[in-house]
């Protein structure tokens, strides 16, 4: 980190090569391609009237002259770029890239497995050895000379792919401090150019899919500050997400000690609006980085700094400067700053804080602090949802709201409580947690759905912003009871209690009718044409979302809820805390569609095992090759027939299946083929899933009789009630999976209709490919159909010109969001993430992790951390460690020895399936996928809720 100094406004005029050297005062955000992110942001700070030291920028044109980028003037560097494009799957001409890579001694077939650090080293060598054009030397010497004779400067890299809103490249290119003399400046410039190709910078750009040929580097040269204290400033709290707090780290000397992490700095949290320090923590500040007279820096043991190196006034003044920078850029900023020995404050860098989660807003602009629950995480979904996926859920949410008599202005926009940020779904739950009924019910629901969310909810109860304002249940009852009566919920519950088999038969009729109603009813126009129009298909898809899909919840959920309710009744009759005993009743449940699916897949694997051709075919190919063989009709007959039967019944399912933008298994069966290949590795017949399930069901029935006998010892009637309650619990609890199964069936039909519409838009030239439709919403698709239907200036071509860039932008945003690992469970409207500031759960033993008990039992085994089930491999007996699971994950459970999840509660999907299979499981373990490593031996105690490294 550098700390230049001068009087603000002293300047360097642009040299005669105006395209090579530009004064910082002339730079702006629109010049990113010419001056890079760091320099452009410095220019913006100056235009905002903020104190930035004088200096100039050597533009990217100079880098291009030296390196020949993007032309092949420097063939070694061009070859490296071509090879990197191939390695990251980026754009380019594969044939020419292969030839260029071969010139470096890299065989073309090995390009996908390139050693990026080795390529980066070749690129650095190519840059350092390139001759320096005389016009570049002259431009730098002239601009530096105008700053004064032998003035100390900082020479800093400024890359075109740097300090961007979606990525932080901090520290990836080099900075040289206290450089003195024109010769030394030119050497530092060349070294900065070479640092564009450090291992970390090259790898990071490749991970973001940034084309290496499009990246160039400018260099900032600024006068050094005669620094006393320096550090970093965040204009929003990067830990809690709170937007009204500035966070400052400070240490004596140059800020390099703070930025590099070499020193424990003083830490301040400031309210910038009030100019008040709200928290301070003193660091040891044992070292300092200082400028050396004549050039360079050295690290020394710091003098005695018993007190703070900033006064409260200085901290407040820095926070106010940061607030002005944030207001200018329109987003929270990460700034570097310095205070000179004369007390002047300087800003030396500004970049967006890329780690903050976006702020949420209600659609109706409801005032006050609001609390939003991440619905995506509650569904076990960590990945982003496509634009069309979110549009579909908005319409379903509107259907839910209308059922509860909540006004919805536009079903396509969703109800007022709906919000999305970071391409995830959030629901405003402020109203329920400010009511006595909501506080009683909502956390208990999440105790068994997503226990960590329930914990965060309860901690909000002590926040004055969420004090109770509604103490009567009447408003809730006025909304719920009429809706429940109209849906026949009381009748369904009574029928389940007194005539359980009749209740199941009635439910079976409902599901058959529901599935029949999913089909598109051809109108007169479509019948005449013999095929539905794109407009008919779009209308049918929206009709399903707005009117049909939600009906499955009140039709099915009451029986599932009754099952768990009767389990609780049995527990009350037995007395004491009997949860561990009652868990045994829930093993091997009947009427569970997900279990049926998994067992059907196992039966297919068993059939394949008996067919040598199918078995050998599966064992010899990866999942991509297997999927390609399926598409081409090249699978062995028995495998093809069995897979087709399975997909006919279950092909509507998928990983992240609530997103209509996600391919279904019928679209791409690679995941299923991989699971089948994995099943063939299970050779012990006693571990076969169907045997395990049968044994679990027998054990559960025996447990029912034991508990009934125990209760009967205290009275015959009590024993009969416990037996009846537990048998009904077993009968109905498995229905928990049915609402989502039916919902996903409906979403798959919506997806199918949209694929047809997308194909029509592709044929009309409006979209490049049919799948692009999932990166639009319903209103945009409707507009595209209107344009495609008629001639004129706004016909298909013009519409395509508008929609194609929009689709490309959204695809890029989506792929960037795929890399986001941390998603807040609860987010306040001021950006605060309540859980982030809370300590993670501790263990009962040294090194132990704790979560929620989910499935009783203890197992010690090797961990396998899996972030995405597609193509994942799990050895029999390994312990699956995952961020979350949905039905797309459950085939992996059949060979798992145990389960650890970062999310979930005792009745979340993964917990239920784990119990059914008798797999010890702990859920809601904070950062499990980060704190446990693949290959590590761990012990999972599903009764105690602990995970202990062996």
């Amino acid at each position: 980190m550098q700390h230049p100094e001068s009087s603000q406004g002293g300047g360097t005029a642009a040299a005669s090569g105006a395209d090579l050297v530009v004064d910082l005062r002339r730079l702006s955000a629109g010049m990113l391609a010419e001056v890079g992110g760091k320099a452009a942001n410095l220019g913006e700070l100056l235009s905002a009237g903020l104190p930035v030291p004088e200096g100039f920028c050597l533009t990217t044109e100079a880098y291009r002259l030296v390196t020949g980028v993007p032309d092949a003037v420097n063939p070694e560097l061009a070859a490296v770029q071509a090879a990197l494009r191939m390695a990251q799957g980026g754009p380019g001409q594969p044939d020419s890239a292969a030839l260029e890579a071969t010139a470096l001694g890299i065989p073309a077939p090995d390009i996908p497995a390139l050693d990026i650090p080795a390529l980066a080293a070749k690129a650095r060598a190519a840059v350092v050895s390139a001759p320096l054009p005389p016009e570049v030397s002259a431009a730098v010497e002239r601009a530096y000379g105008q700053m004064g004779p032998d003035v100390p400067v900082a020479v800093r890299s400024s890359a075109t792919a740097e300090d961007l809103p979606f990525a932080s490249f901090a520290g990836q290119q080099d900075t040289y401090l206290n450089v003195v003399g024109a010769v030394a400046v030119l050497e530092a410039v060349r070294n900065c150019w070479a640092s564009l190709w450090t291992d970390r910078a090259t790898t990071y750009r490749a991970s973001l899919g940034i084309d290496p040929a499009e990246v160039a580097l400018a260099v900032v040269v600024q006068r050094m500050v005669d620094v006393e204290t320096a550090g970093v400033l965040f204009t929003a709290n990067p830990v809690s997400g709170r937007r009204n707090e500035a966070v400052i780290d400070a240490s004596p000397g140059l800020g390099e000690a703070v930025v590099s992490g070499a020193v424990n700095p003083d830490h301040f949290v400031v309210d910038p609006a009030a100019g008040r320090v709200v928290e301070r923590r003193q660091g040891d500040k044992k070292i300092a980085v200082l400028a050396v007279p004549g050039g360079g820096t050295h690290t020394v043991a710091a003098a005695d700094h018993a007190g703070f190196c900033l006064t409260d006034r200085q901290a407040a003044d820095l926070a106010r400067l940061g607030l002005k920078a944030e207001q200018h850029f329109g987003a929270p900023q990460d700034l570097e700053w310095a205070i000179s020995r004369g007390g002047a404050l300087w800003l030396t860098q500004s970049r967006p804080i890329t780690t903050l989660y976006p702020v949420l807003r209600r659609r109706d602009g409801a005032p006050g602090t609001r609390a939003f629950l991440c619905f995506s995480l509650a569904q076990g979904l960590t990945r982003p949802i496509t634009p069309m996926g979110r549009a579909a859920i908005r319409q379903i949410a509107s259907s839910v709201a209308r059922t509860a008599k909540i006004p919805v202005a536009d079903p396509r926009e969703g109800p007022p409580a709906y919000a999305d940020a970071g391409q995830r779904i959030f629901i405003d739950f402020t109203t329920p947690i400010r009511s006595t009924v909501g506080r009683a019910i909502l956390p208990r629901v999440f105790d068994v759905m997503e226990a960590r969310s329930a914990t965060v909810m309860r901690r909000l109860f002590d926040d004055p912003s969420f004090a109770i304002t509604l103490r009567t249940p009447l408003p809730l009852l006025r909304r719920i009871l009429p809706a429940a009566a109209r849906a026949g919920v009381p009748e369904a519950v009574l029928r389940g209690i007194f005539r359980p088999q009749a209740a199941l038969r009635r439910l079976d009729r409902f599901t058959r009718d529901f599935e029949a109603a999913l089909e598109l009813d051809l109108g007169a126009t479509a019948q005449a044409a013999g095929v539905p129009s794109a407009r008919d298909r779009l209308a049918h898809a929206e009709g399903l979302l707005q009117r049909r899909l939600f009906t499955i919840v009140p039709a099915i959920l009451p029986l599932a809820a009754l099952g768990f309710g009767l389990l609780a009744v049995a527990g009350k009759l037995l007395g004491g805390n009997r949860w561990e005993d009652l868990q045994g009743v829930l093993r091997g449940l009947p009427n569970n569609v997900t279990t049926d699916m998994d067992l059907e897949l196992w039966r297919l694997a068993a059939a394949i095992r008996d067919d040598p051709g199918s078995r050998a075919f599966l064992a010899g190919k990866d999942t991509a090759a297997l999927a390609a063989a399926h598409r081409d009709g090249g699978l062995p007959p028995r495998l093809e027939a069995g897979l087709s039967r399975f997909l006919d019944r279950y092909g509507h399912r998928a990983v992240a299946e609530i997103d209509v933008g996600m391919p279904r298994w019928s679209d791409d069966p690679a995941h299923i083929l991989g699971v089948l290949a994995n099943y063939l590795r299970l050779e012990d017949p006693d571990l076969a899933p169907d045997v395990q399930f049968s044994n679990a069901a027998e054990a559960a029935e025996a447990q029912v009789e034991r508990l009934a006998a125990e209760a009967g010892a205290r009275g015959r009637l009590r024993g009969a009630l416990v037996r009846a309650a537990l048998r009904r619990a077993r009968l109905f609890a498995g229905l928990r999976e049915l609402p989502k199964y039916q919902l996903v069936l409906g979403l798959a039909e919506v997806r199918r209709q949209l694929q047809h519409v997308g194909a029509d838009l592709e044929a009309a030239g409006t979209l490049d490919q049919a799948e692009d439709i999932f990166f639009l919403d319903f209103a945009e698709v409707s507009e595209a159909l209107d344009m495609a239907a008629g001639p004129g200036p706004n016909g298909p071509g013009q519409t395509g010109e508008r929609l194609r860039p929009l689709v490309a932008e959204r695809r890029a945003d989506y792929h960037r969001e795929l890399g986001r690992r941390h998603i807040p469970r609860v987010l306040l409207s001021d950006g605060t993430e309540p859980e982030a500031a809370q300590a993670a759960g501790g263990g009962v033993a040294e090194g132990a992790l704790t979560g929620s008990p989910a499935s009783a039992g203890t197992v010690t085994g090797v961990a396998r951390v899996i972030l995405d089930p597609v193509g994942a491999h799990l050895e029999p007996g390994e312990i699956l460690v995952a961020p979350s699971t949905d039905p797309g994950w459950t085939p992996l459970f059949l060979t798992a020895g145990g389960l650890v999840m970062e999310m979930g509660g005792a009745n979340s999907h993964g917990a239920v399936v784990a119990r059914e299979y008798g797999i010890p499981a702990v859920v809601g373990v904070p950062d499990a996928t980060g704190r446990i490593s693949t290959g590590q031996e761990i012990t999972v105690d599903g009764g105690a809720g602990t995970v202990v490294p062996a």
Side-chain angles (χ1 to χ4, degrees):
M1 174 174 164
Q2 78 300 331
H3 300 294
E5 174 173 343
S6 82
S7 60
Q8 184 182 348
T12 302
S16 58
D19 55 341
L20 293 179
V21 170
V22 184
D23 191 291
L24 293 183
R25 293 173 299 179
R26 295 174 51 196
L27 305 184
S28 66
M31 300 174 67
L32 179 67
E34 294 83 18
V35 301
K38 186 182 282 93
N41 287 348
L42 288 173
E44 289 291 332
L45 290 175
L46 282 165
S47 69
L50 293 166
V52 174
E54 71 162 332
F56 62 89
C57 176
L58 182 64
T59 68
T60 56
E61 179 63 22
Y63 174 81
R64 297 181 194 280
L65 284 173
V66 171
T67 62
V69 176
D71 301 321
V73 175
N74 189 322
E76 292 83 4
L77 185 59
V80 170
Q81 292 166 341
L84 283 169
R85 282 202 304 276
M86 294 292 289
Q88 68 193 52
Q93 299 296 325
D95 292 341
S96 62
L99 290 173
E100 292 168 346
T102 303
L104 289 176
I106 304 165
D110 296 331
I111 284 174
L114 287 177
D115 183 348
I116 290 181
L119 284 173
K122 291 179 183 292
R124 291 195 299 275
V127 173
V128 169
S129 63
L132 195 64
E135 61 267 36
V136 173
S137 301
V140 172
E141 290 169 356
R142 186 181 303 111
Y144 175 72
Q146 291 178 2
M147 298 178 72
D150 291 336
V151 61
V153 294
V155 181
R156 312 172 60 203
S157 304
S158 180
T160 53
E162 180 179 54
D163 295 346
L164 303 177
F166 58 85
S168 175
F169 289 76
Q172 293 195 4
Q173 279 88 46
D174 288 347
T175 287
Y176 296 89
L177 304 178
N178 199 37
V179 180
V180 178
V183 173
V185 169
L186 284 170
E187 181 181 358
V189 165
R190 186 187 289 278
N191 289 333
C192 283
W193 285 336
S195 74
L196 184 63
W197 298 97
T198 61
D199 293 354
R200 64 185 182 275
T202 306
T203 302
Y204 187 55
R205 289 195 301 269
S207 72
L208 292 175
I210 296 173
D211 187 345
E214 295 180 358
V215 179
L217 191 132
V219 180
V220 173
V221 178
Q222 284 179 288
R223 185 186 294 266
M224 286 288 291
V225 169
D226 182 16
V227 67
E228 181 176 49
T229 306
V232 296
L233 160 65
F234 293 91
T235 64
N237 193 316
V239 176
S240 69
R242 194 168 290 127
R243 300 308 205 268
N244 58 356
E245 287 183 349
V247 176
I248 301 171
D249 284 340
S251 187
L254 298 172
E256 180 66 22
V258 177
V259 174
S260 66
V263 68
N264 182 19
D266 291 342
H267 179 80
F268 299 83
V269 179
V270 184
D271 179 343
R276 179 172 57 90
V277 174
V278 296
E279 179 187 335
R280 63 178 65 80
R281 184 175 65 249
Q282 189 170 326
D284 53 36
K285 307 182 292 293
K286 290 183 177 179
I287 66 166
V289 178
L290 303 177
V292 176
T297 64
H298 65 160
T299 301
V300 299
D304 183 17
H305 287 287
F308 288 94
C309 63
L310 283 183
T311 65
D312 282 8
R313 174 65 180 273
Q314 288 173 319
D317 288 345
L318 282 170
R320 275 193 286 268
L321 283 180
L323 181 59
K324 290 180 180 178
E326 177 180 300
Q327 291 169 344
H328 177 77
F329 285 105
Q333 296 292 297
D334 165 8
L335 300 115
E336 296 179 12
W337 55 268
I339 300 178
S340 72
R341 298 189 188 278
L345 275 59
W346 299 94
L347 298 180
T348 58
Q349 182 165 297
S350 186
R351 63 172 72 92
I353 305 176
T354 59
T355 56
L356 291 173
Y357 205 81
V359 173
L360 288 158
R361 294 284 185 267
R362 275 179 63 107
R363 296 183 182 277
D364 60 357
T369 303
R370 316 294 299 184
F372 293 86
L373 177 75
C374 187
F375 177 81
S376 293
L377 280 184
Q379 289 293 309
L381 187 61
T382 57
R383 63 183 294 140
I385 299 176
T386 60
M388 186 60 80
R390 300 197 303 276
I393 293 172
R394 283 198 297 271
Q395 298 214 38
I396 297 173
S398 296
S399 175
V400 176
R402 287 198 305 267
T403 300
K405 302 299 182 184
I406 297 172
V408 178
D410 182 352
R412 286 177 171 174
E413 293 298 317
Y418 176 97
D420 59 49
Q423 301 180 35
R424 278 88 177 175
I425 298 166
F426 289 81
I427 303 296
D428 184 347
F429 69 114
T430 307
T431 298
I433 64 170
R434 300 193 73 180
S435 73
T436 52
V437 174
R439 288 192 177 192
I441 296 175
L442 198 60
R444 287 187 173 91
V445 171
F446 275 84
D447 280 336
V448 294
M449 268 185 69
E450 218 295 294
R452 283 172 64 186
S453 295
T455 300
V456 180
M457 285 181 195
R458 289 188 172 98
R459 286 174 176 163
L460 290 179
F461 294 170
D462 296 328
D463 188 332
S465 299
F466 302 105
I468 291 177
T469 58
L470 184 63
R471 300 184 180 277
T472 171
L474 291 179
L476 178 65
L477 294 177
R478 280 196 290 266
R479 291 188 185 277
I480 298 299
L481 292 182
R486 288 193 300 271
V489 171
E491 179 186 358
V493 170
L494 291 173
R495 187 181 292 108
I497 294 173
F498 297 107
R499 301 180 60 205
Q501 293 301 328
L504 289 176
R505 288 193 297 271
R506 186 181 180 89
L507 182 57
D508 184 59
R509 287 195 299 272
F510 170 83
T511 57
R512 289 200 304 270
D513 292 343
F514 173 83
E515 291 174 22
L518 295 178
E519 296 181 8
L520 174 58
D521 184 15
L522 295 179
T525 302
Q527 288 177 348
V531 64
S533 69
R535 179 64 66 186
D536 291 334
R537 293 186 184 279
L538 185 65
H540 180 61
E542 291 200 84
L544 291 177
L545 295 168
Q546 292 183 20
R547 295 182 292 276
R548 193 72 182 98
L549 295 194
F550 179 65
T551 61
I552 64 179
V553 175
I556 301 174
L557 199 58
L559 285 181
L562 176 63
F564 287 101
L566 290 173
L567 190 73
V569 168
K572 291 288 186 182
L573 291 171
L574 287 166
N577 184 1
R578 306 303 297 272
W579 172 240
E580 189 166 343
D581 293 329
L582 292 173
Q583 277 193 70
V585 174
L586 298 179
R587 295 182 61 192
L589 288 172
N591 303 316
N592 187 316
V593 289
T594 301
T595 302
D596 293 344
M597 176 188 75
D598 292 343
L599 292 176
E600 181 68 25
L601 193 58
W602 170 254
R603 285 189 284 271
L604 173 57
I608 291 169
R609 189 187 301 274
D610 295 335
D611 179 43
S614 297
R615 187 173 64 248
F617 195 88
L618 271 180
K621 293 179 175 60
D622 60 26
T623 55
L626 291 170
H630 171 70
R631 287 193 301 272
D632 298 338
L635 294 179
R638 182 175 292 189
L639 175 56
E640 180 66 51
L643 180 64
S644 296
R645 284 194 301 272
F646 179 84
L647 294 178
D648 283 345
R649 184 172 180 185
Y650 298 110
H652 64 282
R653 308 220 71 169
V655 175
E657 59 194 1
I658 66 169
D659 182 356
V660 298
M662 289 295 290
R664 309 290 111 173
W665 286 340
S666 56
D667 297 326
D668 181 5
H671 175 49
I672 295 302
L673 288 163
V675 171
L676 287 172
N678 199 34
Y679 282 176
L680 295 181
R681 303 171 67 88
L682 185 62
E683 297 181 355
D684 187 343
D686 292 335
L687 296 178
D690 53 350
V691 174
Q692 296 269 49
F693 182 80
S694 177
N695 291 341
E698 290 179 8
E701 293 290 350
Q703 181 75 337
V704 169
E705 293 306 315
R706 280 195 296 272
L707 294 175
E710 178 187 328
R714 297 164 58 190
R716 182 177 299 176
L717 178 60
R718 184 184 294 265
L721 289 174
V722 167
R723 180 179 288 106
L726 292 180
R727 284 182 173 172
R728 283 162 176 76
R730 281 190 52 75
L731 200 60
F732 296 138
L735 295 174
R736 174 194 178 277
E737 295 290 303
L738 188 57
K740 186 174 184 181
Y741 178 91
Q742 296 294 120
L743 174 66
V744 171
L745 197 65
L747 289 174
E749 179 62 20
V750 170
R751 175 181 169 82
R752 191 174 75 86
Q753 298 298 336
L754 290 172
Q755 284 176 308
H756 283 292
V757 177
D760 286 351
L761 291 173
E762 178 186 1
T766 305
L767 297 178
D768 287 334
Q769 55 183 344
E771 292 293 307
D772 286 348
I773 195 172
F774 297 111
F775 289 87
L776 302 173
D777 62 26
F778 286 97
E780 290 160 346
V781 172
S782 182
E783 180 186 353
L785 289 177
D786 289 341
M787 297 297 185
N794 293 322
Q798 288 297 319
T799 306
E801 289 302 314
R802 186 177 66 81
L803 291 183
R804 288 192 197 96
L806 180 63
V807 167
E809 179 183 352
R810 288 178 178 173
R811 278 189 182 275
D813 290 344
Y814 177 80
H815 286 294
R816 280 193 291 270
E817 277 296 329
L818 283 171
R820 190 190 292 272
R821 291 294 306 278
H822 177 69
I823 316 298
R825 282 170 167 73
V826 173
L827 199 61
L828 305 188
S829 53
D830 66 354
T832 301
E833 183 187 345
E835 188 183 28
Q838 298 161 0
V844 295
E846 184 178 355
L849 312 180
T850 60
S852 298
S855 179
T858 302
V859 62
T860 298
V862 174
R864 173 78 66 173
V865 178
I866 296 178
L867 303 179
D868 187 337
V870 177
H873 175 71
L874 189 72
E875 291 284 350
E878 286 184 329
I879 296 171
L880 172 61
V881 182
S884 64
T885 63
D886 62 14
W889 288 73
T890 54
L892 292 172
F893 287 28
L894 296 182
T895 55
L899 172 68
V900 178
M901 292 198 318
E902 292 182 340
M903 287 161 288
N907 197 29
S908 59
H909 169 82
V912 170
V913 177
R915 284 197 298 270
E916 291 186 11
Y917 292 165
I919 301 170
V922 180
V923 299
V925 179
D927 195 27
T929 61
R931 299 164 74 182
I932 299 171
S933 303
T934 294
Q936 182 180 7
E937 191 171 84
I938 59 174
T939 297
V940 176
D941 187 334
T946 60
V947 182
V948 183

